[in-house]
Amino acid sequence: GAVVSQHPSRVICKSGTSVKIECRSLDFQATTMFWYRQFPKQSLMLMATSNEGSKATYEQGVEKDKFLINHASLTLSTLTVTSAHPEDSSFYICSARWGANTEAFFGQGTRLTVV
Amino acid sequence: KQEVTQIPAALSVPEGENLVLNCSFTDSAIYNLQWFRQDPGKGLTSLLLIQSSQREQTSGRLNASLDKSSGRSTLYIAASQPGDSATYLCAILGGSQGNLIFGKGTKLSVKP
């Protein structure tokens, strides 16, 4: 299957700082990328959908000024957690696909810990 | 609003057993259904994708079926191995959303 690379896999940051997470599609052009958050023993909750070259669409309850998403190219999307707080600690996973109803491929996830 | 339910939440079987994981969904207007595997602290690995027009897909020891009219899918794992231990997630790509809707998963443990 296609490969989606997410970096970093783990990050620890101090409260109040910002963290950037990268998601790259390595062998295909991703017209759409998704960002999910996963709490322990819970399923994935969609945070936002981003299409290359346009603004991300955020799910209800997700603060767009806190979770900045950029999808500047067909192979890269970034999620920046601004002014991180301990409650932002979670597992963040990105997903990408090349067409509207095609198979979705996921990154390895990023474990964010805010101390 | 599409809701996806997976039963059981957890399953423990001895090595070699055949097993079935269940997934049900409330809205039959779907584009496709995907089964994923997630190892602890890791991302998702796509196992099988079934388009709405298909009834089943097979890959190695895995077979997934889809019955849209009843809102159900099953993932059949033959001759289970300890390496199959993981959480299995079912996800629906629905008609009104562009994103996948996930179930909570079934945590499978295969004992040697």
Side-chain angles (χ1 to χ4, degrees), chain A residues 55-113:
Chain A
K55 290 183 178 180
T57 301
Y58 289 81
E59 295 299 298
Q60 191 172 12
V62 178
E63 298 177 60
K64 62 180 181 180
D65 294 331
K66 180 169 186 62
F67 298 101
L68 301 179
I69 292 172
N70 183 279
H71 191 167
S73 76
L74 284 171
T75 59
L76 174 65
S77 177
T78 59
L79 167 67
T80 301
V81 183
T82 63
S83 187
H85 291 287
E87 56 265 31
D88 298 325
S89 299
S90 190
F91 192 60
Y92 294 87
I93 309 179
C94 72
S95 170
R97 63 181 189 219
W98 62 79
N101 302 320
T102 59
E103 188 171 1
F105 297 94
F106 284 75
Q108 305 94 318
T110 298
R111 170 69 61 192
L112 170 64
T113 303

Side-chain angles (χ1 to χ4, degrees), chain A residues 10 32 34 36 38 41-44 46 49 59 91 93 95 97 100-109 111, chain B residues 31-32 34 36 38 41-49 51 89 93-94 97-105:
Chain A
R10 289 178 180 273
T32 307
F34 303 89
Y36 293 85
Q38 187 177 33
K41 299 184 180 181
Q42 296 295 316
S43 190
L44 281 72
L46 180 69
T49 301
E59 295 299 298
F91 192 60
I93 309 179
S95 170
R97 63 181 189 219
N101 302 320
T102 59
E103 188 171 1
F105 297 94
F106 284 75
Q108 305 94 318
R111 170 69 61 192
Chain B
Y31 285 121
N32 61 49
Q34 248 178 295
F36 295 90
Q38 185 176 29
K42 303 293 184 181
L44 276 64
T45 300
S46 180
L47 298 174
L48 290 165
L49 169 72
Q51 299 290 353
L89 294 163
L93 183 63
Q97 305 103 357
N99 59 284
L100 291 171
I101 306 296
F102 283 85
K104 292 187 177 181

Side-chain angles (χ1 to χ4, degrees), chain B residues 40-87:
Chain B
K42 303 293 184 181
L44 276 64
T45 300
S46 180
L47 298 174
L48 290 165
L49 169 72
I50 309 178
Q51 299 290 353
S52 63
S53 59
Q54 298 173 323
R55 293 297 295 247
E56 67 177 341
Q57 283 288 330
T58 298
S59 175
R61 294 183 293 109
L62 305 179
N63 176 277
S65 69
L66 173 64
D67 184 343
K68 275 202 317 178
S69 60
S70 66
R72 293 181 183 179
S73 175
T74 61
L75 179 66
Y76 174 83
I77 302 177
S80 59
Q81 302 170 357
D84 294 331
S85 298
T87 296

